[in-house]
């Protein structure tokens, strides 16, 4: 298993908390648990035109570096989902009905879309946020102030979204175990335990070496007289080693 950055770990946590008892479309989980909660952006799919638009908060859109960062974050997310699919940590069953819809919206608070008959604007929620169909790259609030601006993504990205984000999601037990083990695979755990065992062996060898200085079975002429004041640091070091071994054993028991 490769390593994951903090943003990716948040996605893994999201997947960990998804139950397989009731299968849902991945887009449902992304709308309710990813867009807004984990990333302050929105994703709109237009299947009839095979277009996808990533909407970025206006305050970030006007900052070129921040805009690039949010776009790269989304590409990173798609790459992560593709990797998890390839490694069979998640399974996504294709949704054949994706192309039949006019629009798919993914953002938690854009949860009540409807067409306003007088203007043909798309009202997104009860707050009155909307898309002016004549300026589809803009999302405005009820006072007609721009709150999001959209970036049209390539057809390749549209295909990746439909393949990786729109089907029924099944999360494997292996992925859940990976998250429970603090993002360590079975191979990582085995390696960690072998390291602990090695250190225990080294510690025991040191202890036996120290105890050998006081072996009562040594012949009298082979003993080395040791003054009482010389024993204090030796006993102290021995106690510290015992404490270290005790800590190591506690770590193993927690695994």
């Amino acid at each position: 298993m490769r390593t994951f950055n903090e943003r990716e770990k948040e996605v893994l946590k999201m997947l960990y908390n998804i139950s397989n008892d009731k299968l849902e479309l991945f887009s449902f989980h992304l709308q309710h648990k990813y867009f807004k909660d984990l990333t302050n952006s929105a994703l709109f799919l237009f299947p009839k035109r095979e277009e996808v638009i990533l909407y970025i908060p206006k305050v970030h859109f006007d900052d070129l570096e921040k805009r690039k960062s949010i776009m790269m974050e989304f590409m990173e997310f798609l790459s992560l989902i593709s990797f998890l699919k390839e490694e069979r940590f998640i399974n996504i069953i294709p949704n054949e009905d994706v192309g039949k819809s006019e629009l798919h919206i993914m953002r938690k608070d854009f949860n009540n879309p409807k067409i306003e008959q007088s203007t043909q604007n798309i009202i997104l929620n009860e707050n009155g946020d909307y898309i002016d169909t004549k300026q589809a790259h803009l999302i405005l609030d009820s006072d007609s102030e721009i709150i999001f601006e959209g970036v049209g993504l390539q057809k390749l990205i549209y295909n990746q979204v439909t393949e990786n984000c729109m089907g029924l999601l099944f999360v494997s037990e292996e992925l859940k175990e990976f998250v429970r083990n603090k993002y360590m695979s079975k191979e990582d755990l085995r390696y960690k335990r072998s390291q602990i065992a090695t250190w225990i062996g080294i510690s025991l060898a040191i202890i036996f070496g120290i105890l050998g200085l006081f072996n009562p079975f040594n012949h009298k002429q082979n003993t080395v007289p040791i003054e009482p004041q010389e024993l204090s640091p030796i006993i102290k070091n021995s106690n510290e080693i015992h404490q270290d071994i005790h800590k190591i054993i506690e770590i193993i028991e927690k695994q």
Side-chain angles (χ1 to χ4, degrees), residues 88-134:
R88 298 188 179 182
F89 290 111
I90 62 173
N91 187 23
I92 299 175
I93 303 171
N95 179 9
E96 302 297 336
D97 294 330
V98 171
K100 297 179 181 179
S101 301
E102 294 287 342
L103 174 64
H104 292 280
I105 298 174
M106 284 181 257
R107 183 175 166 88
K108 187 175 184 177
D109 53 351
F110 294 164
N111 56 355
N112 190 25
K114 58 186 177 182
I115 302 294
E116 187 178 55
Q117 296 300 323
S118 59
T119 63
Q120 294 300 300
N121 291 339
I122 302 174
I123 308 300
L124 299 172
N125 53 29
E126 295 177 355
N127 294 331
D129 299 334
Y130 70 95
I131 294 179
D132 185 340
T133 52
K134 297 176 183 177

Side-chain angles (χ1 to χ4, degrees), residues 118-155:
S118 59
T119 63
Q120 294 300 300
N121 291 339
I122 302 174
I123 308 300
L124 299 172
N125 53 29
E126 295 177 355
N127 294 331
D129 299 334
Y130 70 95
I131 294 179
D132 185 340
T133 52
K134 297 176 183 177
Q135 305 177 84
H137 65 291
L138 300 178
I139 296 178
L140 306 96
D141 62 16
S142 57
D143 295 324
S144 296
E145 296 290 334
I146 299 172
I147 54 176
F148 285 85
E149 191 159 348
V151 178
L153 304 177
Q154 299 174 347
K155 173 72 178 301

Side-chain angles (χ1 to χ4, degrees), residues 30-213:
L30 293 179
Q31 178 181 353
H32 290 86
K33 300 175 181 178
Y34 180 73
F35 287 101
K36 189 183 185 212
D37 284 351
L38 297 185
T39 180
N40 191 19
S41 55
L43 193 71
F44 284 44
L45 239 66
F46 301 88
K48 299 294 184 182
R49 307 198 302 262
E50 295 189 341
E51 292 179 4
V52 59
I53 297 179
L54 180 67
Y55 287 93
I56 299 171
K58 180 64 174 174
V59 64
H60 297 322
F61 187 92
D62 292 340
D63 182 332
L64 183 58
E65 291 303 316
K66 188 63 177 177
R67 187 197 318 171
K68 288 180 179 179
S69 176
I70 292 175
M71 292 177 67
M72 289 302 299
E73 179 183 329
F74 178 64
M75 300 305 169
E76 176 186 79
F77 167 78
L78 288 179
S79 176
L80 171 63
I81 298 304
S82 178
F83 170 79
L84 295 176
K85 274 183 60 181
E86 291 172 0
E87 297 296 321
R88 298 188 179 182
F89 290 111
I90 62 173
N91 187 23
I92 299 175
I93 303 171
N95 179 9
E96 302 297 336
D97 294 330
V98 171
K100 297 179 181 179
S101 301
E102 294 287 342
L103 174 64
H104 292 280
I105 298 174
M106 284 181 257
R107 183 175 166 88
K108 187 175 184 177
D109 53 351
F110 294 164
N111 56 355
N112 190 25
K114 58 186 177 182
I115 302 294
E116 187 178 55
Q117 296 300 323
S118 59
T119 63
Q120 294 300 300
N121 291 339
I122 302 174
I123 308 300
L124 299 172
N125 53 29
E126 295 177 355
N127 294 331
D129 299 334
Y130 70 95
I131 294 179
D132 185 340
T133 52
K134 297 176 183 177
Q135 305 177 84
H137 65 291
L138 300 178
I139 296 178
L140 306 96
D141 62 16
S142 57
D143 295 324
S144 296
E145 296 290 334
I146 299 172
I147 54 176
F148 285 85
E149 191 159 348
V151 178
L153 304 177
Q154 299 174 347
K155 173 72 178 301
L156 174 63
I157 303 302
Y158 172 84
N159 292 337
Q160 288 186 346
V161 171
T162 54
E163 290 173 9
N164 296 321
C165 302
M166 306 304 294
L168 289 173
L169 172 67
F170 181 85
V171 181
S172 73
E173 185 58 32
E174 189 174 358
L175 184 142
K176 295 194 173 190
E177 184 179 354
F178 177 73
V179 176
R180 281 195 296 268
N181 290 329
K182 299 179 180 179
Y183 309 101
M184 296 183 68
S185 66
K186 293 179 180 178
E187 292 75 15
D188 294 332
L189 288 172
R190 280 196 292 268
Y191 177 70
K192 181 180 179 181
R193 286 166 181 163
S194 69
Q195 281 188 316
I196 292 173
T198 299
W199 279 110
I200 289 177
I202 293 172
S203 299
L204 289 174
I206 294 172
I207 289 174
F208 289 136
I210 293 173
L211 294 178
L213 295 174

Side-chain angles (χ1 to χ4, degrees), residues 222-234:
N222 293 330
T223 59
V224 179
I226 299 178
E227 297 298 327
Q229 62 269 22
E230 296 179 19
L231 291 176
S232 296
I234 296 175

